[in-house]
Amino acid sequence: MNKKVRVRFAPSPTGGLHLGGVRTALFNYLFAKKNNGSFIIRIEDTDQTRFVAGAEQYIYDTLNWCGLTPDESPLLGGNFAPYKQSERKALYKQYAEQLIAKGVAYYAFDTAQELEEKRAAVANFQYNFQSRMSMKNSLTLSKEETEKLLKNNTPYVIRILMPANETISFTDMIRGEVHFNSSLIDDKILLKNDAMPTYHLAVIVDDYLMQISHVFRGEEWLPSSPIHILLWKYLFGLENMPQWAHLPLILKPDGNGKLSKRDGERLGFPVFAMDWHDPKTYEKTIGFKERGFLPQAFVNMLAMLGWNDGSAKEIFTLQELIEQFSLERVHKAGAKFDYEKAKWFNHEWIKKMTTEELKKPVKNILLNITNNFSDEYLTKVIELVKDRCTLLADFNQQASFFFKSPETIDIAAIQAKWDEKKKIFFEDCLQQFEAEKNWTAEELEKIFKALATTHQIKIGELMLPFRIMLVGEKFGPAVFEIAALIGKETTVKRMEHVLELMKK
Ligand code: GLU
């Protein structure tokens, strides 16, 4: 019988969400939706020392921004609630005890100080098959001594007993057969002395109880997988185990190692999905959202980091990704992050989106300038400048002159080729514009060109000064379109202002 597809994204709320984390969420989501399955959010917060206020909400906000709507989550609930591990604390201990009863885990009573001393005395100390018999644990103590310590509430942890020299294998859906030598893995703690499980125990118990069918997670978890395989075998039998897929790393632009938050700071691009303000360090980390990425472009770009549909197609909607997604096409090798390419995706998306769809995000950007404009005016502005914007934030610069007078005016660019003839041309032009009733781009262009002919000046020499009068600089869409949209009064005012400046 085929199991129902149930996948989980299981972040730890320890800070902002790295784009690799969002990609893990995305691949989980795509696989679930493609297979009519459920996409579950589970918050893995058993390590209380790493708890950061606001990080959990940030995760929900990010998923919401990206449009990755879960079917079950701490907020939504579901048949397998609670979905936050700290609220499931009481569940885990019995499994750790079952492992002890089976002889595959043990109590360890070594104090922090004893462990410290050991580490100081033995280089690269590992609590493992070689050292465990020289430590203070239920393997080295007598049954009575262990019971006594437990009865006296002596602090302890429960560790897995990693067998020596066994090969642990499983089939990864992306990597195929993978093998590990158990001797290289230490006796990981499963239950801590605050009775909280560690990640290793909690992940197995919860994947089992929540009936997870497939696990998609980052490649950095591959070294932990043999521990998880053993725990599955000991606790629930391998036949119930989900299938594993370890997603390729997202690499630094030069391919040398995993992309980190620091790389983004060093190279000047975002690595987190949204802005993150660390409440402990007050550090602010910039996000894709606030840099001006559309969620559609961000998600599209992430999907292409480690996957393609086998063709040259690069632009996909979320719905198309769901339809096309296949694990066979996820690469094994890490994917280099390229910020220029990320921006290219955004540019393509801005061009692809309808003006109607762009209105809301652009309106938010323009709030920096004004909110005093009509819907019709905004529509026209977007149509004129959208092709020139790579990031949403570019609307600020590309469109600001539609809403307010240019702050600076590149007078030097006009002065370079200014003469009496041009001055008279613009004075005439101003007069004719003022008298014009039919204020359209075509009409203005006609007047402008006819006048140029009368004054015997090449039109090319007049366009730049005119543009600078309206925009302040040498950029922007067709200049008569600008004049038409900002209206007669504003056009005339800006021309007069610059002509005045030219007199000085
Ligand atoms: N809590 C782990 C993390 O923060 C999840 C690993 C997993 O999906 O098994 O990445």
Side-chain angles (χ1 to χ4, degrees):
M1 189 189 76
N2 271 345
K3 266 207 255 181
K4 176 168 171 17
V5 167
R6 291 178 53 79
V7 300
R8 83 301 191 279
F9 174 52
S12 298
T14 55
L17 207 48
H18 184 281
L19 62 97
V22 188
R23 191 198 52 179
T24 301
L26 173 65
F27 282 20
N28 270 290
Y29 176 86
L30 296 177
F31 187 80
K33 296 298 135 187
K34 168 120 199 183
N35 295 290
N36 297 317
S38 300
F39 171 56
I40 296 145
I41 307 299
R42 183 172 72 219
I43 297 292
E44 301 207 326
D45 59 347
T46 56
D47 189 350
Q48 303 282 300
T49 59
R50 295 179 65 216
F51 174 82
V52 178
E56 185 180 336
Q57 188 57 44
Y58 177 99
I59 291 166
Y60 303 138
D61 292 345
T62 300
L63 295 176
N64 188 29
W65 177 60
C66 292
L68 306 179
T69 314
D71 299 296
E72 298 163 34
S73 78
L75 294 182
L76 292 169
N79 290 340
F80 300 84
Y83 291 90
K84 214 194 276 191
Q85 287 183 329
S86 57
E87 291 170 13
R88 302 170 66 81
K89 182 176 173 182
L91 266 166
Y92 304 107
K93 195 174 175 198
Q94 51 179 309
Y95 292 100
E97 283 168 351
Q98 271 181 40
L99 291 167
I100 294 188
K102 287 189 173 145
V104 290
Y106 58 90
Y107 296 106
F109 299 97
D110 318 85
T111 61
Q113 197 191 338
E114 282 162 354
L115 287 169
E116 206 42 61
E117 283 164 11
K118 202 77 187 178
R119 280 191 203 106
V122 183
N124 300 322
F125 171 75
Q126 296 259 37
Y127 208 120
N128 63 7
F129 73 104
Q130 281 167 319
S131 65
R132 68 170 78 102
M133 294 314 284
S134 64
M135 306 298 289
K136 192 172 164 191
N137 54 46
S138 56
L139 305 171
T140 56
L141 299 169
S142 69
K143 201 165 174 255
E144 293 70 35
E145 282 171 313
T146 300
E147 269 163 18
K148 200 166 147 210
L149 288 175
L150 291 176
K151 223 171 111 211
N152 292 342
N153 288 328
T154 314
Y156 68 83
V157 298
I158 295 180
R159 289 181 182 269
I160 186 169
L161 194 152
M162 261 317 208
N165 258 322
E166 265 184 27
T167 301
I168 303 171
S169 311
F170 71 95
T171 308
D172 185 279
M173 289 185 283
I174 295 169
R175 274 143 230 283
E177 279 284 303
V178 275
H179 307 279
F180 298 86
N181 179 346
S182 65
S183 294
L184 299 176
I185 305 160
D186 57 335
D187 290 356
K188 292 275 184 249
I189 295 176
L190 302 176
L191 199 78
K192 294 177 281 189
N193 64 22
D194 59 0
M196 269 289 198
T198 58
Y199 161 66
H200 299 298
L201 179 64
V203 77
I204 298 312
V205 169
D206 286 345
D207 283 349
Y208 169 76
L209 293 175
M210 296 183 179
Q211 297 176 11
I212 299 302
S213 62
H214 300 78
V215 169
F216 294 88
R217 60 184 179 185
E219 187 185 314
E220 62 273 27
W221 296 106
L222 193 57
S224 302
S225 56
I227 306 159
H228 301 162
I229 302 285
L230 278 188
L231 289 174
W232 265 101
K233 184 166 127 187
Y234 297 150
L235 285 172
F236 310 119
L238 289 180
E239 61 279 11
N240 296 318
M241 194 169 73
Q243 283 182 268
W244 306 91
H246 290 87
L247 302 171
L249 291 178
I250 298 180
L251 304 174
K252 297 180 200 297
D254 63 10
N256 277 327
K258 192 174 155 184
L259 179 73
S260 72
K261 192 178 87 166
R262 299 279 164 239
D263 294 318
E265 281 156 14
R266 186 169 56 87
L267 300 166
F269 57 70
V271 168
F272 283 178
M274 308 191 307
D275 275 6
W276 167 249
H277 304 262
D278 193 304
K280 284 184 185 152
T281 61
Y282 301 110
E283 193 186 5
K284 186 183 153 187
T285 311
I286 173 107
F288 280 88
K289 180 180 177 211
E290 291 77 2
R291 262 288 166 101
F293 277 79
L294 287 161
Q296 293 88 335
F298 180 59
V299 162
N300 188 168
M301 180 271 294
L302 285 181
M304 303 309 283
L305 282 172
W307 176 87
N308 64 54
D309 76 342
S311 76
K313 181 170 156 92
E314 291 185 284
I315 302 297
F316 293 87
T317 63
L318 190 56
Q319 191 52 41
E320 284 169 335
L321 288 171
I322 293 172
E323 284 153 22
Q324 298 303 319
F325 187 71
S326 76
L327 266 178
E328 295 75 52
R329 299 215 57 89
V330 176
H331 313 151
K332 286 194 192 68
K336 276 189 214 165
F337 177 70
D338 176 351
Y339 186 55
E340 290 310 311
K341 185 77 195 201
K343 287 199 297 193
W344 176 84
F345 276 105
N346 207 59
H347 188 47
E348 290 304 305
W349 266 95
I350 287 181
K351 288 193 288 182
K352 178 181 159 76
M353 280 171 78
T354 63
T355 303
E356 209 43 48
E357 289 169 321
L358 280 170
K359 268 186 198 163
K360 202 171 150 216
V362 172
K363 225 177 192 165
N364 280 336
I365 296 288
L366 294 178
L367 284 181
N368 289 327
I369 305 175
T370 173
N371 61 1
N372 185 18
F373 47 80
S374 70
D375 196 64
E376 193 193 350
Y377 193 79
L378 179 65
T379 305
K380 287 189 183 150
V381 170
I382 294 176
E383 275 162 10
L384 284 178
V385 304
K386 69 182 229 183
D387 285 0
R388 297 166 184 275
C389 297
T390 298
L391 299 175
L392 283 176
D394 294 343
F395 277 95
N396 249 330
Q397 194 241 355
Q398 289 293 336
S400 68
F401 56 85
F402 284 110
F403 303 95
K404 59 170 192 191
S405 307
E407 263 158 32
T408 54
I409 297 188
D410 187 0
I411 285 290
I414 306 181
Q415 257 157 358
K417 287 191 173 169
W418 194 247
D419 54 22
E420 195 58 22
K421 262 175 90 180
K422 282 186 190 150
K423 181 177 155 246
I424 297 169
F425 166 87
F426 276 104
E427 281 166 1
D428 275 1
C429 181
L430 195 56
Q431 266 189 15
Q432 294 209 14
F433 278 1
E434 273 188 298
E436 182 55 45
K437 296 245 157 31
N438 181 15
W439 192 260
T440 64
E442 299 75 45
E443 198 53 39
L444 299 177
E445 186 168 358
K446 234 197 280 160
I447 299 173
F448 198 88
K449 283 187 171 160
L451 261 182
T453 313
T454 318
H455 286 258
Q456 295 187 335
I457 310 178
K458 277 195 225 126
I459 183 88
E461 291 194 17
L462 298 165
M463 295 295 269
L464 180 78
F466 187 39
R467 172 176 297 281
I468 292 178
M469 287 173 191
L470 302 190
V471 176
E473 285 173 63
K474 302 177 203 158
F475 71 90
V479 71
F480 298 107
E481 297 286 351
I482 299 175
L485 191 54
I486 58 179
K488 187 198 283 192
E489 198 186 324
T490 307
T491 302
V492 163
K493 229 169 57 198
R494 290 189 191 176
M495 288 175 79
E496 278 172 348
H497 175 61
V498 173
L499 288 174
E500 208 44 52
L501 286 178
M502 295 303 293
K503 286 185 191 154
K504 288 180 188 158

